[in-house]
Amino acid sequence: MRMLDNIWNVLRIVGAARELALETRRFNWKVAAGTTFFLQAEYADIRLEAHERPEILAKVELQAGFGWQLATDQDEAGVYMIARRKALIGSISRAKFDIKLPEQTHISLKMKNCQVCLAELDRALDLPPVASPM
């Protein structure tokens, strides 16, 4: 029984350390109407919300931030964000993306094991068959 108590204590400590290792990053890109926003993410909760300003705002929360690779870029066509978990180290973590973008923004998502919330967005959504390769 003592061995089981020790295991539970270790699991609680690991869980607490993971929560303490929460890393938050914020991004702000000025964009023109019709810009594309591309997000490639895995094991993430993604919230997309429209706003009236000519900019894309992103708040990214990474559990165990040291276990993630995050890259962003912007050019005249759009804004690009890629978030991948590192092998082994990243396997215990998830990410949360809160993205605010102009209503006219084209959205392109490439996801693996993600949950998506489309808040305050008025648009059509066309998804390929689930069995298709990414």
Side-chain angles (χ1 to χ4, degrees), residues 42 65-69 84-93:
E42 55 187 31
F66 53 84
W68 285 89
Q69 293 176 311
R84 294 186 184 141
R85 297 187 315 173
K86 293 180 183 175
L88 296 177
I89 297 171
S91 65
I92 62 169
S93 60

Side-chain angles (χ1 to χ4, degrees), residues 12-131:
R12 275 195 293 266
I13 291 169
V14 168
R18 186 173 76 177
E19 292 301 319
L20 288 175
L22 185 64
E23 180 178 326
T24 301
R25 298 185 191 177
R26 295 179 189 275
F27 301 91
N28 181 342
W29 298 277
K30 301 289 184 195
V31 295
T35 296
T36 295
F37 175 71
F38 172 81
L39 173 62
Q40 179 178 338
E42 55 187 31
Y43 299 93
D45 298 324
I46 302 165
R47 178 181 167 85
L48 301 171
E49 184 176 352
H51 68 166
E52 296 182 12
R53 298 191 311 235
E55 60 188 354
I56 295 175
L57 305 172
K59 176 183 171 189
V60 181
E61 293 179 356
L62 304 171
Q63 279 185 340
F66 53 84
W68 285 89
Q69 293 176 311
L70 180 65
T72 65
D73 197 9
Q74 180 180 17
D75 62 18
E76 61 280 346
V79 172
Y80 313 92
M81 179 178 280
I82 299 174
R84 294 186 184 141
R85 297 187 315 173
K86 293 180 183 175
L88 296 177
I89 297 171
S91 65
I92 62 169
S93 60
R94 283 192 65 83
K96 181 178 177 184
F97 294 85
D98 286 315
I99 312 292
K100 293 182 180 177
L101 33 84
E103 189 65 43
Q104 308 84 8
T105 305
H106 298 279
I107 301 169
S108 179
L109 303 173
K110 183 175 180 182
M111 303 171 292
K112 179 180 177 185
N113 294 323
C114 293
Q115 294 183 20
V116 179
C117 174
L118 304 175
E120 306 295 327
L121 291 177
D122 295 327
R123 58 184 64 215
L125 183 63
D126 183 47
L127 299 171
V130 174

